Coordinates of all heavy atoms in Angstrom, one line a residue:
M49 N 3.1 15.4 -9.1 CA 3.2 14.6 -7.9 C 4.6 14.4 -7.6 O 5.4 14.0 -8.5 CB 2.4 13.3 -8.2 CG 2.5 12.4 -7.0 SD 1.5 10.9 -7.2 CE 0.0 11.5 -7.8
R50 N 5.0 14.5 -6.4 CA 6.4 14.3 -6.0 C 6.6 12.8 -5.8 O 5.7 12.0 -5.6 CB 6.6 14.9 -4.6 CG 6.5 16.4 -4.7 CD 6.9 17.0 -3.3 NE 6.4 16.2 -2.2 CZ 5.6 16.7 -1.3 NH1 5.1 17.9 -1.3 NH2 5.2 15.9 -0.3
Q51 N 7.9 12.4 -6.0 CA 8.3 11.0 -5.9 C 8.0 10.4 -4.5 O 7.6 9.3 -4.4 CB 9.8 10.9 -6.2 CG 10.3 9.5 -6.3 CD 9.7 8.6 -7.4 OE1 9.2 9.2 -8.4 NE2 9.9 7.3 -7.3
T52 N 8.1 11.2 -3.5 CA 7.8 10.7 -2.1 C 6.4 10.5 -1.9 O 6.0 9.8 -0.9 CB 8.3 11.8 -1.1 OG1 7.7 13.0 -1.3 CG2 9.8 11.9 -1.2
D53 N 5.5 10.9 -2.8 CA 4.0 10.6 -2.6 C 3.7 9.2 -3.0 O 2.6 8.7 -2.7 CB 3.2 11.6 -3.4 CG 3.3 13.0 -2.9 OD1 3.6 13.2 -1.7 OD2 3.0 14.0 -3.7
M54 N 4.6 8.6 -3.7 CA 4.4 7.2 -4.2 C 5.5 6.3 -3.5 O 6.7 6.6 -3.5 CB 4.6 7.1 -5.7 CG 3.7 8.0 -6.5 SD 2.0 7.4 -6.5 CE 2.1 6.1 -7.7
L55 N 5.0 5.3 -2.8 CA 5.8 4.4 -2.1 C 6.0 3.0 -2.9 O 5.1 2.5 -3.5 CB 5.2 4.0 -0.7 CG 5.0 5.2 0.2 CD1 4.1 4.8 1.4 CD2 6.3 5.9 0.6
K56 N 7.2 2.5 -2.8 CA 7.5 1.2 -3.3 C 6.8 0.2 -2.4 O 6.7 0.4 -1.2 CB 9.0 0.9 -3.5 CG 9.7 1.9 -4.4 CD 11.1 1.6 -4.4 CE 11.9 2.6 -5.3 NZ 13.3 2.4 -5.3
L57 N 6.5 -1.0 -3.0 CA 5.8 -2.0 -2.2 C 6.7 -2.4 -0.9 O 6.1 -2.6 0.1 CB 5.5 -3.2 -3.0 CG 4.6 -4.3 -2.3 CD1 3.4 -3.7 -1.8 CD2 4.3 -5.4 -3.3
P58 N 8.0 -2.6 -1.1 CA 8.8 -2.9 0.2 C 8.6 -1.9 1.2 O 8.6 -2.2 2.4 CB 10.2 -3.1 -0.3 CG 10.1 -3.4 -1.8 CD 8.8 -2.7 -2.3
E59 N 8.5 -0.6 0.9 CA 8.3 0.5 1.8 C 7.0 0.3 2.5 O 6.9 0.5 3.7 CB 8.5 1.8 1.2 CG 9.8 2.1 0.6 CD 9.9 3.4 -0.3 OE1 8.9 3.6 -1.0 OE2 10.9 4.1 -0.1
V60 N 6.0 0.0 1.8 CA 4.7 -0.2 2.3 C 4.7 -1.4 3.3 O 4.2 -1.3 4.4 CB 3.6 -0.4 1.2 CG1 2.2 -0.8 1.8 CG2 3.5 0.8 0.4
L61 N 5.3 -2.5 2.9 CA 5.3 -3.7 3.7 C 6.1 -3.4 5.0 O 5.7 -3.9 6.1 CB 6.0 -4.8 3.0 CG 5.3 -5.3 1.7 CD1 6.1 -6.4 1.0 CD2 3.9 -5.8 2.0
Q62 N 7.1 -2.6 5.0 CA 7.9 -2.3 6.1 C 7.1 -1.4 7.1 O 7.1 -1.6 8.3 CB 9.2 -1.6 5.8 CG 10.1 -1.3 6.9 CD 11.4 -0.7 6.5 OE1 11.5 -0.1 5.4 NE2 12.4 -0.7 7.4
T63 N 6.3 -0.5 6.5 CA 5.5 0.4 7.3 C 4.4 -0.3 8.0 O 4.2 0.0 9.2 CB 4.8 1.5 6.4 OG1 5.9 2.2 5.7 CG2 4.0 2.4 7.1
V64 N 3.7 -1.2 7.4 CA 2.6 -1.9 8.0 C 3.1 -3.2 8.7 O 2.3 -3.9 9.4 CB 1.5 -2.2 7.1 CG1 0.9 -0.9 6.6 CG2 1.9 -3.0 5.9
R65 N 4.4 -3.6 8.5 CA 5.0 -4.8 9.1 C 4.2 -6.1 8.8 O 3.9 -6.8 9.7 CB 5.1 -4.6 10.6 CG 6.0 -3.4 11.0 CD 6.2 -3.3 12.4 NE 7.2 -2.3 12.7 CZ 7.1 -1.3 13.6 NH1 6.0 -1.3 14.4 NH2 8.0 -0.4 13.8
I66 N 4.0 -6.3 7.5 CA 3.5 -7.6 7.1 C 4.3 -8.1 5.9 O 5.0 -7.4 5.3 CB 2.0 -7.5 6.7 CG1 1.8 -6.5 5.5 CG2 1.1 -7.1 7.9 CD1 0.3 -6.5 5.0
S67 N 4.1 -9.4 5.7 CA 4.9 -10.0 4.6 C 4.2 -9.7 3.2 O 3.0 -9.2 3.2 CB 4.9 -11.5 4.7 OG 3.6 -12.1 4.5
R68 N 4.9 -9.9 2.2 CA 4.4 -9.7 0.8 C 3.2 -10.6 0.6 O 2.2 -10.2 0.0 CB 5.5 -9.9 -0.2 CG 5.0 -9.7 -1.7 CD 6.2 -10.0 -2.6 NE 7.3 -9.1 -2.4 CZ 7.5 -8.0 -3.1 NH1 6.6 -7.6 -4.1 NH2 8.5 -7.2 -2.9
A69 N 3.3 -11.8 1.0 CA 2.2 -12.8 0.9 C 1.0 -12.3 1.6 O -0.2 -12.4 1.1 CB 2.6 -14.2 1.3
A70 N 1.1 -11.9 2.8 CA 0.0 -11.4 3.6 C -0.7 -10.2 2.9 O -1.9 -10.0 2.9 CB 0.4 -11.0 5.0
F71 N 0.2 -9.3 2.4 CA -0.3 -8.1 1.7 C -1.2 -8.5 0.5 O -2.3 -8.0 0.2 CB 0.8 -7.2 1.2 CG 0.3 -6.0 0.5 CD1 0.0 -4.8 1.3 CD2 0.2 -5.9 -0.9 CE1 -0.5 -3.7 0.6 CE2 -0.2 -4.8 -1.5 CZ -0.6 -3.7 -0.8
Y72 N -0.7 -9.5 -0.3 CA -1.4 -9.9 -1.5 C -2.7 -10.7 -1.1 O -3.6 -10.7 -1.9 CB -0.5 -10.7 -2.5 CG 0.3 -9.8 -3.3 CD1 1.6 -9.5 -3.1 CD2 -0.3 -9.0 -4.3 CE1 2.4 -8.7 -3.9 CE2 0.4 -8.1 -5.1 CZ 1.7 -8.0 -4.9 OH 2.5 -7.1 -5.7
R73 N -2.7 -11.4 0.0 CA -3.9 -12.0 0.5 C -5.0 -10.9 0.8 O -6.1 -11.1 0.4 CB -3.7 -12.9 1.7 CG -3.1 -14.2 1.4 CD -3.2 -15.2 2.6 NE -2.5 -14.7 3.8 CZ -1.2 -14.9 4.0 NH1 -0.4 -15.6 3.1 NH2 -0.6 -14.4 5.1
L74 N -4.5 -9.9 1.5 CA -5.5 -8.8 1.8 C -6.0 -8.2 0.5 O -7.1 -7.8 0.3 CB -4.8 -7.7 2.6 CG -4.5 -8.0 4.0 CD1 -3.6 -7.0 4.7 CD2 -5.8 -8.2 4.8
R75 N -5.0 -8.0 -0.5 CA -5.4 -7.4 -1.8 C -6.4 -8.3 -2.5 O -7.4 -7.7 -3.1 CB -4.2 -7.2 -2.6 CG -4.5 -6.5 -3.9 CD -3.2 -6.1 -4.6 NE -3.5 -5.4 -5.8 CZ -3.3 -5.9 -7.0 NH1 -2.8 -7.1 -7.2 NH2 -3.6 -5.2 -8.1
S76 N -6.3 -9.6 -2.5 CA -7.2 -10.5 -3.2 C -8.6 -10.4 -2.5 O -9.6 -10.7 -3.2 CB -6.7 -11.9 -3.2 OG -6.8 -12.5 -1.9
R77 N -8.7 -10.0 -1.3 CA -10.0 -9.9 -0.6 C -10.5 -8.5 -0.7 O -11.6 -8.2 -0.2 CB -9.8 -10.2 0.9 CG -9.4 -11.6 1.2 CD -9.3 -11.8 2.7 NE -8.4 -12.9 2.9 CZ -7.6 -13.0 4.0 NH1 -7.5 -12.0 4.8 NH2 -6.8 -14.1 4.1
G78 N -9.8 -7.6 -1.4 CA -10.2 -6.2 -1.5 C -10.0 -5.4 -0.3 O -10.7 -4.4 -0.1
Q79 N -9.0 -5.8 0.6 CA -8.8 -5.1 1.8 C -7.5 -4.4 1.9 O -7.0 -4.1 3.0 CB -8.9 -6.2 3.0 CG -10.2 -6.9 3.0 CD -10.2 -8.0 4.0 OE1 -9.2 -8.6 4.4 NE2 -11.4 -8.3 4.5
A80 N -6.8 -4.2 0.8 CA -5.5 -3.5 0.8 C -5.7 -2.1 0.1 O -6.6 -1.9 -0.6 CB -4.5 -4.4 0.1
P81 N -4.7 -1.3 0.3 CA -4.7 0.0 -0.4 C -4.5 -0.2 -1.9 O -4.0 -1.2 -2.3 CB -3.5 0.8 0.2 CG -2.7 -0.2 0.8 CD -3.5 -1.3 1.2
K82 N -5.0 0.7 -2.7 CA -4.9 0.6 -4.1 C -3.5 0.6 -4.6 O -2.7 1.5 -4.2 CB -5.7 1.7 -4.8 CG -5.8 1.7 -6.3 CD -6.6 2.8 -6.8 CE -6.6 2.7 -8.3 NZ -7.3 3.8 -8.9
L83 N -3.2 -0.3 -5.5 CA -1.8 -0.3 -6.1 C -1.9 0.4 -7.5 O -2.9 0.3 -8.2 CB -1.4 -1.7 -6.3 CG -1.2 -2.6 -5.1 CD1 -0.7 -4.0 -5.4 CD2 -0.2 -2.0 -4.1
H84 N -0.8 1.0 -7.8 CA -0.7 1.7 -9.1 C 0.5 1.1 -9.9 O 1.6 1.0 -9.3 CB -0.4 3.2 -9.0 CG -1.5 3.9 -8.2 ND1 -2.7 4.3 -8.9 CD2 -1.7 4.1 -6.9 CE1 -3.5 4.8 -8.0 NE2 -2.9 4.7 -6.8
K85 N 0.3 0.6 -11.1 CA 1.3 0.0 -11.9 C 1.9 1.1 -12.8 O 1.1 1.6 -13.6 CB 0.8 -1.2 -12.7 CG 1.9 -2.0 -13.3 CD 1.3 -3.3 -13.9 CE 2.4 -4.2 -14.4 NZ 1.9 -5.4 -14.9
L86 N 3.1 1.3 -12.7 CA 3.8 2.3 -13.5 C 4.1 1.7 -14.9 O 4.1 0.5 -15.1 CB 5.1 2.8 -12.9 CG 5.0 3.4 -11.5 CD1 6.4 3.7 -11.0 CD2 4.1 4.6 -11.5
P87 N 4.3 2.6 -15.9 CA 4.6 2.1 -17.3 C 5.7 1.1 -17.4 O 5.8 0.3 -18.2 CB 4.9 3.4 -18.1 CG 4.1 4.5 -17.3 CD 4.2 4.1 -15.9
N88 N 6.7 1.3 -16.4 CA 7.8 0.4 -16.5 C 7.5 -1.0 -15.7 O 8.4 -1.8 -15.6 CB 9.1 1.0 -15.9 CG 8.9 1.4 -14.4 OD1 7.9 1.1 -13.8 ND2 9.9 2.1 -13.9
G89 N 6.3 -1.1 -15.2 CA 5.9 -2.4 -14.6 C 6.1 -2.4 -13.1 O 5.6 -3.3 -12.4
H90 N 6.7 -1.3 -12.5 CA 6.9 -1.3 -11.1 C 5.6 -0.9 -10.4 O 4.7 -0.2 -11.0 CB 7.9 -0.2 -10.7 CG 9.3 -0.6 -11.2 ND1 10.4 0.2 -11.0 CD2 9.8 -1.7 -11.8 CE1 11.5 -0.4 -11.5 NE2 11.1 -1.6 -12.0
I91 N 5.4 -1.4 -9.2 CA 4.2 -1.1 -8.4 C 4.4 -0.1 -7.4 O 5.5 -0.1 -6.7 CB 3.7 -2.4 -7.8 CG1 3.3 -3.4 -8.9 CG2 2.5 -2.2 -6.8 CD1 2.9 -4.8 -8.4
R92 N 3.5 0.9 -7.2 CA 3.6 1.9 -6.2 C 2.3 2.0 -5.5 O 1.2 1.7 -6.0 CB 3.9 3.3 -6.8 CG 5.3 3.3 -7.6 CD 6.4 3.3 -6.6 NE 7.7 3.5 -7.2 CZ 8.5 2.5 -7.7 NH1 8.1 1.3 -7.6 NH2 9.6 2.8 -8.3
V93 N 2.3 2.6 -4.3 CA 1.1 2.9 -3.5 C 1.2 4.4 -3.1 O 2.3 4.9 -2.7 CB 1.1 2.1 -2.2 CG1 -0.1 2.5 -1.3 CG2 1.0 0.6 -2.5
R94 N 0.2 5.1 -3.4 CA 0.2 6.5 -3.0 C 0.2 6.7 -1.5 O -0.6 5.9 -0.8 CB -1.1 7.3 -3.6 CG -1.1 7.4 -5.1 CD -2.3 8.2 -5.5 NE -2.6 8.0 -6.9 CZ -2.1 8.7 -7.8 NH1 -1.3 9.7 -7.5 NH2 -2.4 8.5 -9.1
R95 N 0.9 7.6 -1.0 CA 1.0 7.8 0.5 C -0.4 8.1 1.0 O -0.8 7.6 2.1 CB 2.0 8.9 0.8 CG 2.0 9.4 2.2 CD 2.2 8.4 3.2 NE 3.6 8.1 3.3 CZ 4.1 7.2 4.3 NH1 3.2 6.6 5.1 NH2 5.3 6.9 4.3
A96 N -1.2 8.9 0.3 CA -2.5 9.2 0.8 C -3.4 8.0 0.8 O -4.2 7.8 1.8 CB -3.1 10.3 -0.1
D97 N -3.3 7.1 -0.1 CA -4.1 5.8 -0.1 C -3.7 5.0 1.1 O -4.5 4.4 1.7 CB -3.9 5.0 -1.4 CG -4.5 5.7 -2.6 OD1 -5.3 6.6 -2.4 OD2 -4.1 5.4 -3.7
L98 N -2.4 4.9 1.4 CA -1.9 4.1 2.5 C -2.4 4.7 3.8 O -2.9 4.0 4.7 CB -0.4 4.0 2.5 CG 0.2 3.2 3.6 CD1 -0.2 1.8 3.6 CD2 1.7 3.3 3.6
D99 N -2.3 6.0 3.9 CA -2.7 6.7 5.2 C -4.2 6.5 5.4 O -4.7 6.2 6.5 CB -2.4 8.1 5.1 CG -0.9 8.4 5.2 OD1 -0.2 7.5 5.7 OD2 -0.5 9.5 4.8
A100 N -5.0 6.6 4.3 CA -6.5 6.4 4.4 C -6.8 4.9 4.8 O -7.7 4.7 5.6 CB -7.2 6.8 3.1
W101 N -6.1 4.0 4.2 CA -6.3 2.6 4.5 C -6.0 2.3 6.0 O -6.8 1.6 6.7 CB -5.4 1.7 3.6 CG -5.5 0.3 3.8 CD1 -6.6 -0.6 3.6 CD2 -4.5 -0.6 4.4 NE1 -6.2 -1.9 3.9 CE2 -5.0 -1.9 4.4 CE3 -3.2 -0.3 4.8 CZ2 -4.2 -2.9 4.8 CZ3 -2.4 -1.4 5.2 CH2 -2.9 -2.7 5.3
L102 N -4.9 2.8 6.5 CA -4.5 2.6 7.9 C -5.5 3.3 8.8 O -5.9 2.7 9.9 CB -3.1 3.2 8.2 CG -2.0 2.5 7.5 CD1 -0.6 3.3 7.7 CD2 -1.8 1.1 8.1
E103 N -6.1 4.4 8.4 CA -7.1 5.1 9.2 C -8.4 4.2 9.3 O -9.0 4.1 10.4 CB -7.4 6.5 8.6 CG -8.4 7.3 9.4 CD -7.7 7.7 10.8 OE1 -6.5 7.9 10.8 OE2 -8.5 7.9 11.7
R104 N -8.8 3.6 8.2 CA -9.9 2.7 8.1 C -9.7 1.5 9.0 O -10.6 1.1 9.8 CB -10.3 2.3 6.7 CG -11.0 3.3 5.9 CD -11.5 2.8 4.6 NE -10.6 2.0 3.8 CZ -9.7 2.5 2.9 NH1 -9.8 3.8 2.7 NH2 -8.9 1.8 2.2
L105 N -8.5 1.0 9.0 CA -8.2 -0.2 9.9 C -8.3 0.2 11.4 O -8.9 -0.5 12.2 CB -6.8 -0.7 9.6 CG -6.6 -1.4 8.3 CD1 -5.1 -1.8 8.2 CD2 -7.5 -2.7 8.2
A106 N -7.8 1.4 11.7 CA -7.9 1.9 13.1 C -9.4 2.1 13.5 O -9.7 1.7 14.6 CB -7.1 3.2 13.3
E107 N -10.2 2.6 12.6 CA -11.6 2.9 12.9 C -12.3 1.5 13.1 O -13.2 1.4 14.0 CB -12.3 3.7 11.8 CG -11.8 5.1 11.8 CD -12.3 5.9 10.6 OE1 -13.1 5.2 9.8 OE2 -12.0 7.0 10.4
N108 N -12.0 0.6 12.3 CA -12.7 -0.7 12.3 C -12.3 -1.5 13.6 O -13.1 -2.3 14.0 CB -12.4 -1.6 11.1 CG -13.1 -1.0 9.8 OD1 -14.0 -0.2 9.9 ND2 -12.6 -1.3 8.7
S109 N -11.1 -1.3 14.1 CA -10.7 -2.0 15.3 C -11.2 -1.4 16.5 O -11.1 -2.0 17.6 CB -9.2 -2.2 15.3 OG -8.6 -0.9 15.5
A110 N -11.6 -0.2 16.5 CA -12.1 0.5 17.7 C -13.6 0.1 18.0 O -14.3 -0.4 17.4 CB -12.1 2.0 17.5

């Protein structure tokens, strides 16, 4: 897997234009893309998971 396939949380927040608190509220409700915790403790989101999540949001709003 390429490094660009995994996004840092700030990159995700900038892409979807929401705050960290809002993201974690969505996550607590099970409405956020899946997070992956790396062995060093850093959090990443797979680009494919983010794209699929955004697609589901677009479908639900239509």
Side-chain angles (χ1 to χ4, degrees):
M49 180 176 309
R50 295 184 322 239
Q51 183 69 15
T52 57
D53 292 340
M54 300 290 279
L55 301 171
K56 296 176 182 178
L57 188 54
E59 295 171 320
V60 173
L61 298 175
Q62 184 178 21
T63 300
V64 297
R65 295 186 175 131
I66 61 173
S67 69
R68 182 181 296 265
F71 182 85
Y72 278 105
R73 279 194 300 274
L74 288 171
R75 186 170 181 251
S76 71
R77 296 180 203 143
Q79 299 173 337
K82 183 177 178 183
L83 299 180
H84 300 275
K85 191 170 186 179
L86 301 179
N88 63 4
H90 294 177
I91 294 175
R92 298 289 187 269
V93 176
R94 291 183 198 272
R95 169 55 80 176
D97 292 342
L98 179 61
D99 291 341
W101 178 69
L102 291 170
E103 187 67 32
R104 283 193 307 275
L105 288 178
E107 290 173 1
N108 290 340
S109 67

